[in-house]
Amino acid sequence: MCFEKVIRELSGVILTRGPKLCNFVEWRGYKVVYKRYASLYFCMCIDQEDNELEVLEIIHHYVEILDRYFGSVCELDLIFNFHKAYYILDELLIAGELQEPSKKTVARLIAAQDSLVETAKEEASSISNIIAQATK
Amino acid sequence: MEQLKTIGRELAMGSQGGFGQSKEFLDLVKSIGEARSKAEEDRIVLHEIETLKRRLSEPDIPKRKMKEYLIRLVYVEMLGHDASFAYIHAVKMTHDDNLLLKRTGYLAVTLFLSDDHDLIILIVNTIQKDLRSDNYLVVCAALNAVCKLINDETIPAVLPQVVELLGHSKEAVRKKAIMALHRFYQKCPSAVSHLLSNFRKRLCDNDPGVMGATLCPLFDLITIDVNSYKDLIVSFVSILKQVAERRLPKSYDYHSMPAPFIQIRLLKILALLGRDDKQASEKMYTVVGDIFRKCDSNSNIGNAILYESICCVSSIYPNPKLLEAAAEVISRFLKSDSHNLKYMGIDALGRLIKISPEIAEQHQLAVIDCLEDPDDTLKRKTFELLYKMTKSSNVEVIVDRMIDYMICINDNHYKTYIAGRCVELAEQFAPSNHWFIQTMNKVFEHAGDLVNVKVAHNLMRLIAEGFGEDDDTADTQLRSSAVESYLRIIGEPKLPSVFLQVICWVLGEYGIADGRHSSSYITGKLCDVAEAYSNDETVKAYAVTAIMKIYAFEISAGRKVDMLPECQSLVEELSASHSTDLQQRAYELQAVIGLDARAVESIMPSDASCEDIEVDKDLSFLDNFVAQSIERGAQPYIPENERSGMLNISTFGSQDQHEVSTHGLRFEAYELPKAPVPPRVAPTVSSTELVPVPEPSYSRETHQAAAASSVSDSGSSELKLRLDGVQKKWGRPAYSSSTPSTSNSTPQKTVNGVSQDVGSTVNSKARESYDLKKSQVEINPEKQKLAASLFGGSSKTERKPPSASHKVAKASSHATESSLVPNKAVVTTEVVSAGTNHQPPPDLLDLGEPSATSSAPFIDPFKQLEGLLDPTLVSSTTNNGASGSSNAPDIMSLYADMSTTGQSSSTGNSVSADGINAIFTSGFSTATSTDQGGVAVAQSSQLSKGPNPKDSLEKDALVRQMGVNPTSQNPNLFRDLLG
């Protein structure tokens, strides 16, 4: 099934659920664990034998790491920096398994990668570049 | 002027860190965010695709620009559009030397391509190179890509390098290498089967992260083969013990629980290793008991561990004390207000119920509340529980409930599922034939098209075979009642096809068997069906065959057959049908009618659907004919596999695997898979009509061959009526012995369950009796009744409760003060005893240190870690002076609920944690926290990354500057997710 259809079907299921209900839905033989932060929903599709509460905390763990990285993360951070959110996710989950339970380790790895990013960014955002771009 | 504005904006963003994207991209995101409809969004995206196509075709695109284009392409795909025209650019970018670009390339590639995409082959080489890189970040990026992109064909290309990386000096690399190897194992176990010992080795890694990652593959391996890993039990137990005792670095704490994710994984593994193994389980009791005691039940993560402990306890060899602890946690879950916990409680109850069935009764009201909850998820979980506790005494209530629910939902997936459950329970526990038929009718009527065809065949078989008892009258009654009910239902509009097939078949076989209905009446009904469902060829086929059977039975009974006019026209219509199957049936019908009674009797014997029919699959009766033809010069038949010079499919498969593991990449295309060529067997093999009836002379010769082939050919055997299982399930007076002894005490237990909250304040009798009254008034009498029928069992006759408590069981709003009075004494004593039960002596599970720990050849992975507490952490701790809490520097403890931190072990901790919170909130309100105490300054500097109002304000200002304004549609755009 294509990605978009999954999202559409799932959001139909999840958005209609009231606030006090379970954070879990059964869906096509899988379980989907979701959690709402402000107006964003984080969803994870899991196997039958997975521990729902744990998954809920993995989501929270992720959001906490995002929060730490972006500094009080908000939806806009993720909209404009979705690729960074992916990078962080790559340090947290691999092949559906939690690979690193320590926030500190994740933060350190991301920082190491970003230190390289920063140097690149500095080159890029020199004023001449910007003006060249703007006057194009 | 406009340009200057833009420059200013960009400059402002640059100086603030901004979002680091170009204006074009920001505008795109902004316009998408403001799009008012899906159509508008699509227009914007299509326009963007055009722009990108144009840009990408320009020569000499600067790399930085290319990177942004790729991210925009990812965005486009994320919104559901196709960006395949640019995949090759993503692939190219992975070749870049700059890590930043490389990572973007890998990200885009992993998001764009599935692991069987043609372009993967172009990346394998890059991955190989990157895995050899000196820069560990490059290696990490490549390993991430390996996990997502490598499939079983490309595994051999990277496998040696991944294995080598298991010994890398950076723990991040080791960890990812483990995960990659795990991924390979999931994709193609045979490719890495010789490397599995590596997982064992890595379990002893110095780094807890690597050790934790190793638990994932080990869990999978143990799931498949428990016995080879029994020797690790001691190690797992020892690790779990150390984790629970907080011997891991603080950074692994999560919401003040020590490394909960690792604990959960270990508990899962222990559950597997201890299953049905008393000796192994005994080694685990202490540590699991410790976890029950230590877990903080106020935090979500604590409850996650508790739940996993329950799963473990219910899986390993039972231990009464652990079961008691588990039951206590379950009752806490069920009484919680949180739906999540109720859900987990119901699930846990379902697990524990297998070991101690009586536990459900304590929670009957909670279970019924969950069943009636508007939350579908909870309801379904509860059905799952009821399914597990169904017995012959409560099957009617449970199945009725299930069917009611099934009728009112639209979710076809679940409808199918629950229909299957209903059928299963009905087959297993049906109290009477009549009920069974009624239930099946309801299931078919409402979910017929969703039910597996096998279920229909099962039903037909059950009706045909009867129920294994030698009581023919019962079978006859069953058939008659089935016929009666079908004749009633048949007129209803829009019945599901499968159900109509059953109806037609049963009417054909048994419609006139009891002589209550005339053949013309039944055939008339069958004609109506064929006419009403003229689009459904299967139903028509069933109907016309049923008609043929009726006529055949009439003829063989010596009665004269007058074909109804509508029947005649039906047959005429079908004999001109486009469907050859229908045509054949129509002609067969006409032919049968023309035969005499004896001939009809032998081709269509009455009530013979259960007789075995030998199908001569080798067609040996044609041997003579073949021999003659060959004599006359015909070509002999060459089987298909010999014809193409290929090996058998099965041997081909194994050879294929072998090749994968020895060679690198395969570039030649695979042979197209050969469809197996089973003899085409019509779905209704179960009845006599479709099966080619071999002539008796052949069947004797081929009997053995046919029998042998039926064993090997599972496909065809599934279609046949399978006789095993059903007889055993059906009709037995199922044992209901499990209830009576406990059902006597049900009333007290219920009350006990309700008032358990006050269990510790045993002495306050007055309050208790008040609670008791209150709770009884609250309990809806309907619910009580339901509870009694679900949990009380069939014990109406068996149950001989003392009259007083019996009244409590039926407790309703009618319960008067006076009837309550005598109960009070009983109830309170119950509570007292329960209270003491629930407060186990402190040394409950303290069985001392497992001596095995020291004797086992196990390298303690944490010994080296103990000194490794982060030095900065320690120093900041001392900076904090008086409060001196080890918790303090952990910023994340701020996110923990107040209650959680308040509950943490020592008072010192809780004081300081509250202190932080206080400071933090005051900082929030004033935003000038300079005049706080010394501790405050230290704290606020630590908090620079945490939720910070200043940050938010700045960000808000920034995005407004960029022109992104929160619309009424989404006022939360700026809100802190954790706020």
Side-chain angles (χ1 to χ4, degrees), chain A residues 74-133:
Chain A
C74 67
E75 192 176 331
L76 276 184
D77 287 314
L78 300 187
I79 292 178
F80 286 108
N81 287 301
F82 60 89
H83 56 294
K84 288 188 181 161
Y86 273 120
Y87 291 143
I88 296 174
L89 195 58
D90 277 343
E91 297 307 321
L92 195 68
L93 292 170
I94 272 194
E97 304 273 10
L98 184 72
Q99 61 164 325
E100 183 51 67
S102 159
K103 265 188 279 262
K104 205 159 149 195
T105 312
V106 173
R108 213 163 38 215
L109 272 171
I110 297 288
Q113 289 164 3
D114 275 1
S115 65
L116 290 165
V117 176
E118 283 308 319
T119 48
K121 202 192 278 172
E122 268 160 35
E123 289 166 32
S125 62
S126 67
I127 291 177
S128 62
N129 262 344
I130 291 170
I131 290 178
Q133 195 184 336

Side-chain angles (χ1 to χ4, degrees), chain B residues 362-407:
Chain B
Q362 302 168 22
H363 303 299
Q364 37 183 314
L365 288 176
V367 170
I368 288 167
D369 277 340
C370 293
L371 190 63
E372 286 170 357
D373 200 277
D375 187 345
D376 269 346
T377 309
L378 195 53
K379 204 175 252 180
R380 291 175 187 189
K381 198 78 201 173
T382 315
F383 276 125
E384 200 57 38
L385 172 68
L386 292 182
Y387 167 77
K388 283 182 191 156
M389 46 185 268
T390 307
K391 45 199 175 204
S392 55
S393 57
N394 57 14
V395 65
E396 292 172 73
V397 189
I398 290 178
V399 171
D400 280 354
R401 284 254 156 185
M402 284 182 172
I403 290 178
D404 285 348
Y405 181 63
M406 185 187 81
I407 292 171

